Amino acid sequence: MEIMEVMGHLVCSQRVEGLGHMHLRILRNNKGKRLVAVDPVGARQGNWVFTASGSAARFGCPNPSIQTDLTIGGIIDNWSPDD
Amino acid sequence: MEIMEVMGHLVCSQRVEGLGHMHLRILRNNKGKRLVAVDPVGARQGNWVFTASGSAARFGCPNPSIQTDLTIGGIIDNWSPDD
Amino acid sequence: MEIMEVMGHLVCSQRVEGLGHMHLRILRNNKGKRLVAVDPVGARQGNWVFTASGSAARFGCPNPSIQTDLTIGGIIDNWSPDD
Amino acid sequence: MEIMEVMGHLVCSQRVEGLGHMHLRILRNNKGKRLVAVDPVGARQGNWVFTASGSAARFGCPNPSIQTDLTIGGIIDNWSPDD
Amino acid sequence: MEIMEVMGHLVCSQRVEGLGHMHLRILRNNKGKRLVAVDPVGARQGNWVFTASGSAARFGCPNPSIQTDLTIGGIIDNWSPDD
């Protein structure tokens, strides 16, 4: 799993049905690249989280056939990116 | 999921049956690389979209055994690549 | 899916049974790296093709449990790498 | 599988149920990037381990629908990163 | 599939059960990075091989739920890395 920072949420009114009503967050990885993740844990802007990708991202959702390849797995209690 | 820009559509008369009649779009990722994605949402040139890869790309299609590893998941309402 | 150029075919007399009698091609990606792909469409040297990776590569073959992680999905009608 | 060094464990009180009670380790890959992995073998700080990613990461756990995309597969007996 | 060179075998007495008695090889990819792969074909040091990753790596083994994300698919008859 990778460690990323939560930047905000994604507004996207036109999307596939396969995502259901899952919340979408914009994350930033260690190279500064912004990614979109499904959030089942309720993360907030500024939180450091770890994410699961691939088929594991789907198994983190109530329905494993949901169309996500990146899902937040947990909020890290204490994290400094320069440790 | 990744955030990409729609560049146009792909003309490809000789292709595997496993893609059915799905529309193919050419996308550009954040490094300028061009990729090919299945489009179930009807995105247009210039739209910013997010994409699902891996097995999630297949679950975004009506038939989950379709041969795609990249599928558009939604059109982003407002996006600036330099935010 | 990624866009690659066909360089030639791969001679490999000692290989796993899981690939059956599928033809193997050597492709070159946009960074010049050479990769090996299963070819169900009959691509020729110099063709520009798009490829599916991951589990989608297996679903492009007659038998989805075949041991491939890269399969040619189609031959692009017109393509210039510098467009 | 990739070869990584164990840096420590991850404290994360708020996490998805899909990870059960599996131990989480912080690893460092060959580029210095820190990643989070499930540990079924009991690795310690300073150990060199190899890791499985993707769906193989899930099959390394008692329950293959667990939400991990990186799992430690074994502790390497002797390893020098500069060999 | 990727093309890699066999560097040697991996000694790893403490490992997950999910790998069974499969032989593990150390490979070097085109960037010089060393990786660990399951070897069902009996490759030797100095051989050039191609490898399957992801779920295809598992289907190259007798048991498809084995915990590998990289498996040797065949030994290439003639290969020069600078062709």
Side-chain angles (χ1 to χ4, degrees):
Chain A
M1 288 75 80
E2 294 199 36
I3 296 166
M4 302 193 193
E5 189 180 4
V6 180
M7 306 305 290
H9 62 281
L10 186 76
V11 180
C12 186
S13 43
Q14 194 173 346
R15 64 186 199 177
V16 294
E17 292 182 7
L19 282 165
H21 297 286
M22 303 298 291
H23 291 288
L24 297 177
R25 304 282 177 225
I26 300 174
L27 308 182
R28 189 167 60 181
N29 72 6
N30 73 321
K31 288 184 176 173
K33 183 178 177 179
R34 287 172 298 171
L35 297 161
V36 178
V38 162
D39 178 8
V41 299
R44 296 181 185 175
Q45 191 173 333
N47 280 160
W48 285 91
V49 297
F50 69 90
T51 58
S53 62
S55 52
R58 295 188 285 104
F59 285 105
C61 300
N63 178 359
S65 65
I66 211 161
Q67 189 194 354
T68 176
D69 63 6
L70 195 69
T71 299
I72 295 174
I75 302 169
I76 305 175
D77 289 7
N78 290 294
W79 188 256
S80 160
D82 303 318
D83 268 356
Chain B
M1 287 76 79
E2 293 200 36
I3 296 166
M4 302 194 193
E5 190 180 4
V6 181
M7 306 305 290
H9 64 281
L10 186 76
V11 181
C12 187
S13 42
Q14 194 174 346
R15 62 186 201 178
V16 294
E17 292 182 7
L19 282 166
H21 297 285
M22 302 299 290
H23 291 288
L24 297 177
R25 306 282 176 223
I26 299 174
L27 308 182
R28 189 166 60 183
N29 73 5
N30 73 321
K31 288 183 176 173
K33 182 179 178 180
R34 288 173 298 172
L35 297 161
V36 178
V38 161
D39 178 9
V41 299
R44 296 180 184 175
Q45 190 172 332
N47 281 160
W48 286 91
V49 297
F50 68 89
T51 58
S53 62
S55 53
R58 295 188 285 104
F59 285 105
C61 300
N63 178 358
S65 65
I66 212 161
Q67 188 193 355
T68 177
D69 63 5
L70 194 68
T71 299
I72 296 175
I75 302 169
I76 305 176
D77 289 6
N78 291 293
W79 188 259
S80 161
D82 302 319
D83 267 356
Chain C
M1 286 76 80
E2 293 201 37
I3 296 166
M4 302 195 193
E5 190 181 4
V6 180
M7 305 305 289
H9 63 281
L10 187 76
V11 181
C12 186
S13 43
Q14 196 174 347
R15 62 186 202 179
V16 294
E17 292 183 6
L19 282 166
H21 297 287
M22 303 299 290
H23 291 288
L24 297 177
R25 307 279 177 225
I26 300 174
L27 308 182
R28 188 166 62 184
N29 73 5
N30 73 321
K31 288 183 175 173
K33 182 179 178 180
R34 287 173 298 172
L35 297 162
V36 178
V38 162
D39 178 10
V41 299
R44 296 180 183 173
Q45 190 172 333
N47 280 161
W48 285 91
V49 297
F50 68 89
T51 58
S53 63
S55 52
R58 294 189 284 104
F59 285 105
C61 299
N63 178 358
S65 65
I66 213 162
Q67 188 193 355
T68 176
D69 63 5
L70 194 69
T71 299
I72 295 176
I75 302 169
I76 305 176
D77 288 7
N78 292 292
W79 188 257
S80 161
D82 301 319
D83 269 356
Chain D
M1 286 77 80
E2 294 200 36
I3 296 166
M4 302 194 193
E5 190 180 4
V6 180
M7 307 304 291
H9 64 281
L10 187 76
V11 181
C12 186
S13 44
Q14 195 173 347
R15 63 186 200 177
V16 294
E17 292 182 7
L19 283 166
H21 296 286
M22 302 298 291
H23 290 288
L24 297 177
R25 305 279 177 227
I26 300 175
L27 308 182
R28 187 166 61 180
N29 71 5
N30 73 321
K31 289 184 175 172
K33 183 179 177 179
R34 287 173 298 172
L35 296 161
V36 178
V38 161
D39 178 9
V41 298
R44 296 181 184 175
Q45 191 173 333
N47 281 160
W48 286 91
V49 296
F50 69 89
T51 57
S53 62
S55 52
R58 295 188 284 104
F59 284 104
C61 300
N63 179 358
S65 65
I66 212 163
Q67 190 194 352
T68 175
D69 64 5
L70 195 69
T71 299
I72 295 175
I75 302 169
I76 305 176
D77 287 6
N78 290 294
W79 189 256
S80 160
D82 301 319
D83 270 356
Chain E
M1 286 77 79
E2 294 201 36
I3 296 166
M4 302 193 192
E5 190 181 4
V6 180
M7 304 306 289
H9 64 281
L10 187 76
V11 181
C12 187
S13 44
Q14 194 173 349
R15 62 186 201 178
V16 293
E17 293 183 7
L19 282 166
H21 296 287
M22 302 299 290
H23 290 289
L24 297 177
R25 306 278 177 229
I26 300 174
L27 308 182
R28 187 166 62 182
N29 72 6
N30 73 320
K31 289 183 175 171
K33 183 180 177 180
R34 287 174 298 172
L35 296 161
V36 178
V38 161
D39 178 9
V41 298
R44 296 179 183 174
Q45 190 172 334
N47 280 160
W48 286 91
V49 297
F50 69 88
T51 57
S53 63
S55 53
R58 294 188 284 104
F59 284 105
C61 300
N63 178 357
S65 65
I66 211 162
Q67 189 194 353
T68 175
D69 64 5
L70 193 69
T71 300
I72 296 176
I75 301 169
I76 306 176
D77 288 7
N78 291 292
W79 188 258
S80 162
D82 301 319
D83 270 355

